[in-house]
Amino acid sequence: VRGSRETLSMSLGPQAGVEDEAKLAAVDTAAEVETPEHIRFRYDIAGPARRGFAYFLDLLLRGAIVAVLGVVLMLAGFAAGDTLGNASVGLLLVVVFLAEWLYYVLCEMIWSGRTPGKMALQLRVVSERGHPLSFWQSFLRNLARGADALPNMYALGVLVMGQDARFRRLGDMLAGTMVVVEKRHIVQGPLRIEPPISAPAPLAGSR
């Protein structure tokens, strides 16, 4: 691949080579972060499809939580009478609100930028500098979900993600975050040198 890039750049001139590299960088799905110590880390950016599957899993879990609590409150309302029955409806609306807005903040704080859906898809939310997600960053990115969901089914959020090099939605841009794919590496045994290195022979005359 590198040889084909160099051949294309030599045949079309320096300007064409620069344009070719710019196009390749535009479709790159990795982000490189440099620390103050000049150490560079490379993160694989999560695309809309993978994030969509994670959101769907979280949606199923949130729906199950609301359904279970809704049945409990409904039975409690029937048993308590009309007065407490109306209160149970109000409590159910509060549960729906908490499941929609605080579910993500709570999970991301407990599991360091992950929800159950993100864990299943090996995703994590981090800051744009690669630092762990803070509370206020999680709060801001999830507060903007209402705007990302407009007009329906997160259409605006998907549109914004498609135009951003790091696939960030409005909430990510507001909070300075990005969603990355966690790579798991299997650590094999310790490195062995064959044949083993022997100790240097003592110098003549040394004791």
Side-chain angles (χ1 to χ4, degrees):
V1 177
R2 183 177 298 176
S4 61
R5 291 184 187 176
E6 294 176 354
T7 304
L8 179 63
S9 301
M10 293 176 62
S11 60
L12 298 180
Q15 183 176 359
V18 173
E19 293 177 355
D20 182 53
E21 292 295 334
K23 292 178 180 179
L24 290 173
V27 298
D28 193 8
T29 57
E32 193 172 80
V33 177
E34 184 174 355
T35 66
E37 294 79 14
H38 303 291
I39 301 174
R40 294 185 178 182
F41 294 93
R42 191 174 181 86
Y43 295 94
D44 288 335
I45 302 298
R50 196 161 186 166
R51 292 178 64 173
F53 279 118
Y55 174 80
F56 179 72
L57 294 178
D58 285 322
L59 180 63
L60 292 178
L61 180 58
R62 288 187 290 124
I65 294 173
V66 172
V68 171
L69 293 179
V71 171
V72 172
L73 291 175
M74 186 181 300
L75 294 176
F78 286 149
D82 294 337
T83 303
L84 293 180
N86 294 330
S88 65
V89 175
L91 289 176
L92 180 59
L93 294 177
V94 173
V95 170
V96 172
F97 173 80
L98 293 177
E100 180 64 26
W101 297 104
L102 295 184
Y103 167 85
Y104 291 97
V105 177
L106 183 62
C107 290
E108 288 173 355
M109 289 296 95
I110 294 176
W111 290 302
S112 302
R114 297 178 299 171
T115 61
K118 288 185 177 68
M119 283 190 282
L121 273 295
Q122 298 182 357
L123 304 180
R124 186 187 296 271
V125 185
V126 297
S127 72
E128 292 179 341
R129 301 299 302 171
H131 299 156
L133 185 70
S134 68
F135 169 77
W136 289 112
Q137 285 176 323
S138 179
F139 180 81
L140 287 175
R141 74 184 302 271
N142 290 294
L143 184 66
R145 283 187 179 275
D148 282 310
L150 295 175
N152 197 10
M153 299 296 292
Y154 282 83
L156 180 59
V158 173
L159 180 62
V160 173
M161 289 171 65
Q163 302 297 319
D164 185 71
R166 294 187 174 184
F167 297 123
R168 296 173 300 170
R169 58 179 178 85
L170 292 176
D172 291 316
M173 294 180 180
L174 177 64
T177 58
M178 60 183 179
V179 182
V180 300
V181 180
E182 290 189 309
K183 287 187 175 181
R184 298 175 182 249
H185 301 281
I186 300 177
V187 179
Q188 299 179 355
L191 180 63
R192 295 182 179 180
I193 300 177
E194 295 293 344
I197 301 176
S198 58
L203 298 176
S206 62
R207 296 182 180 179

